[in-house]
Structures are given as structure tokens and as C-alpha cells.
């Protein structure tokens, strides 16, 4: 079985992430780029299948800037067999639709049996790319799975909905997205880090992929009309304990509709 794991390089979750007020886009130079943690969990889901089925092949796939190779190298060190990066200047500022078109074209070229992705990236939090890619491919999608079981014949899992949970299953090929409950990502060991340097990694341009995509190729697109910096935080009210602190605190919380 061949499994493609989608990966995205995002600003460090623990850093101060910023929006470029002129372009309305994420300022990717304002913080350290790192692999999105949810992608590592998605990879772990695939690796657990590979642990029991050594013949399985895992390909990490990403679209992004040229330095996204750092993220893909980490996924290779964790256990992915190979990696593909789609990078092209025309893709700068792509929305989810354009991103999904490109990823779907790359998935078609790789021809996997299963596509595994995180349920949402920590930078945009759109959460629609896995479903959009599946729609373009004409594949069934099992979204936001907390638990996943992969077999040679199909994939199944559970997802949460209002008031309960759903058990989903599908034959292959199929696409799934997983939540942070799905798996704990393994740490790359020294052997994996050394092996990652020799594992194959291909870089494809839009021309090599045979597709026109990106903001200029989109028939419609969102345009930022204005942006303002967030006002600085102001100090909140200070409660002085003169014997009535508890009642003051309760009144404040009630006024804010917090109790």
C-alpha cells in the first residue's frame, strides 16, 4: 500500500505570529518555520500501519516555499520513505481552493491508495483542504478521525459530532483527516536523522506538474480591503482586598457574563 501524508510548514506555534498589514497575509519571516504538529500525528497514523506492514510506502507531500524541505526532512527522519515538495513563485498567496488543486494534482501523480492529513493547520485553521482534495480526486473522505484503523482493503475510524460520535469506513482509495487524539507522534532517533539525508526528495514546479494554479490563475479570489494592528492590551480592573474582594470579584465576573 502506498500512503501519502500531507505536510505543511507553519510559524512556530509558541512564537508571536503576525499578519502583514499591507498584504493581509501571514508574515512567515516573523517567526521560526516548523512542521505543523498535526502533520506529525498524521504521519504517525501511517507509520503505525507501516510498522505492521513493512511493504507499505509512505510519501510526505507538501506545497510551500523552497525551505519547506526542512519540514519534509524531519518527516523523513521520523520514518517516511520519500518526500515531494511542490514549489513555484506563482503559488504565493494561494487560497485553499488553489492549494487543493495543486495537492490533488500531485496526489494523482504519486497515485497512492490512501491520503492522510491533519484536520486543520495551526496557522490558517481552515480545515477544508483534505475534503477539497478528496472532492477533486473523486475520493471518499473520512474527516476529523479521533481513532483510525487501516487495512489492506480499507480505512475506518470514529469522528465526533454534536451529541455523539460516528463510525465511518471506506474502501480504497480514500482520504482521511485526523485530530490530535489520533496518535502521539514519535521522536526521530539518530539513525532516522542520518537516514533522512539519503532518502529521496523531489521538487516539482507547476510546469512539471502540468497545472496552472495560484492567485493569478483563480477565477475568483478574496481580496483584503483593510487591516489594522491589534490595539495594545490594557490593564484590567484591580481588586483590592478590603474585606469585600470576593463580592467585587463576583460582580466583575457577572458583569462580564462569565458566571
Amino acid at each position: 500500500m502506498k500512503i501519502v501524508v500531507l505536510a505543511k510548514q507553519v510559524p512556530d506555534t509558541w512564537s508571536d505570529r503576525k499578519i502583514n498589514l499591507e498584504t493581509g497575509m501571514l508574515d512567515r519571516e516573523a517567526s521560526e518555520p516548523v512542521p505543523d504538529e498535526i502533520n506529525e500525528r498524521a504521519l504517525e497514523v501511517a507509520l503505525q500501519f507501516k510498522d505492521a506492514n513493512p511493504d507499505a510506502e509512505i510519501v510526505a507531500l507538501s506545497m510551500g516555499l523552497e525551505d519547506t524541505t526542512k519540514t519534509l526532512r524531519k518527516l523523513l527522519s521520523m520514518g517516511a520513505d520519500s518526500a515531494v515538495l511542490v514549489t513555484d513563485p506563482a503559488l504565493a498567496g494561494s487560497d485553499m481552493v488553489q492549494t487543493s488543486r495543486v495537492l490533488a494534482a500531485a496526489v494523482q501523480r504519486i497515485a497512492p491508495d490512501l491520503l492522510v492529513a491533519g484536520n486543520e493547520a495551526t496557522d490558517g485553521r481552515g480545515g477544508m483542504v483534505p475534503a477539497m482534495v478528496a472532492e477533486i480526486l473523486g475520493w471518499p473522505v473520512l474527516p476529523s478521525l479521533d481513532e483510525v484503523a487501516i487495512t489492506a482493503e480499507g480505512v475506518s475510524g470514529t469522528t465526533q459530532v454534536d451529541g455523539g460520535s460516528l463510525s465511518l469506513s471506506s474502501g480504497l482509495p480514500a482520504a482521511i483527516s485526523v485530530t490530535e487524539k489520533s496518535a502521539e507522534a514519535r521522536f526521530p532517533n539518530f539513525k532516522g536523522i542520518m537516514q533522512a539525508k539519503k532518502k529521496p526528495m523531489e521538487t516539482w514546479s507547476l510546469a512539471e506538474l502540468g497545472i496552472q494554479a495560484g492567485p493569478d490563475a483563480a477565477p475568483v479570489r478574496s481580496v483584503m480591503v483593510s487591516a489594522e494592528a491589534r490595539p495594545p492590551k490594557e490593564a484590567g480592573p484591580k481588586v483590592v482586598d478590603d474585606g469585600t474582594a470576593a463580592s467585587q470579584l463576583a460582580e466583575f465576573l457577572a458583569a462580564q457574563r462569565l458566571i
Side-chain angles (χ1 to χ4, degrees):
M1 179 185 293
K2 181 184 287 187
I3 302 174
V4 163
V5 176
L6 295 186
K8 186 177 185 181
Q9 185 162 280
V10 300
D12 190 346
T13 307
W14 302 101
S15 65
D16 184 19
R17 290 174 287 183
K18 297 180 179 178
I19 293 290
N20 185 316
L21 297 181
E22 293 184 359
T23 65
M25 298 180 186
L26 186 65
D27 185 352
R28 297 189 180 278
E29 297 182 356
S31 55
E32 181 72 17
V34 298
D36 201 342
E37 181 183 332
I38 193 65
N39 300 151
E40 298 180 2
R41 295 177 187 270
L43 174 62
E44 179 61 32
V45 168
L47 288 173
Q48 289 179 5
F49 177 79
K50 184 178 174 65
D51 290 342
N53 301 272
D55 293 339
E57 177 185 358
I58 300 175
V59 183
L61 168 64
S62 185
M63 183 188 107
L65 302 174
E66 292 183 357
D67 70 350
T68 306
T69 53
K70 298 177 183 176
T71 284
L72 292 174
R73 284 295 177 198
K74 181 176 182 182
L75 299 186
L76 290 173
S77 70
M78 294 170 69
D81 297 294
S82 62
V84 173
L85 170 64
V86 181
T87 184
D88 196 292
L91 293 174
S94 292
D95 59 15
M96 287 191 289
V97 174
Q98 296 303 307
T99 299
S100 299
R101 290 183 60 237
V102 173
L103 292 175
V107 170
Q108 284 181 316
R109 182 168 173 175
I110 299 169
D113 302 289
L114 178 65
L115 173 67
V116 184
N119 61 333
E120 63 177 17
T122 55
D123 54 355
R125 293 199 177 282
M128 294 302 297
V129 168
M132 287 181 171
V133 172
E135 172 67 18
I136 295 171
L137 295 171
W139 290 5
V141 58
L142 284 60
S144 300
L145 299 181
D146 291 337
E147 300 175 355
V148 183
I150 303 171
T151 68
E153 293 76 29
V155 60
S156 60
T158 58
T159 187
Q160 300 299 314
V161 296
D162 289 343
S165 61
L166 288 177
S167 296
L168 305 173
S169 64
S170 172
L172 302 175
I176 65 171
S177 65
V178 300
T179 71
E180 61 182 8
K181 296 180 181 178
S182 59
E184 289 291 335
R186 65 189 67 183
F187 290 100
N189 54 33
F190 180 74
K191 180 181 179 181
I193 293 173
M194 297 305 293
Q195 289 178 335
K197 298 178 181 178
K198 300 179 180 178
K199 290 183 177 178
M201 179 185 298
E202 295 186 51
T203 300
W204 297 343
S205 66
L206 288 179
E208 291 171 318
L209 199 54
I211 183 176
Q212 291 185 334
D216 292 340
V220 294
R221 58 185 296 192
S222 300
V223 178
M224 183 194 73
V225 295
S226 65
E228 295 181 0
R230 181 185 300 172
K233 293 183 179 178
E234 298 180 357
K238 185 176 182 179
V239 176
V240 179
D241 189 5
D242 59 356
T244 63
S247 60
Q248 291 183 59
L249 182 59
E251 290 174 0
F252 172 78
L253 294 175
Q256 303 299 319
R257 298 184 177 181
L258 297 175
I259 59 174

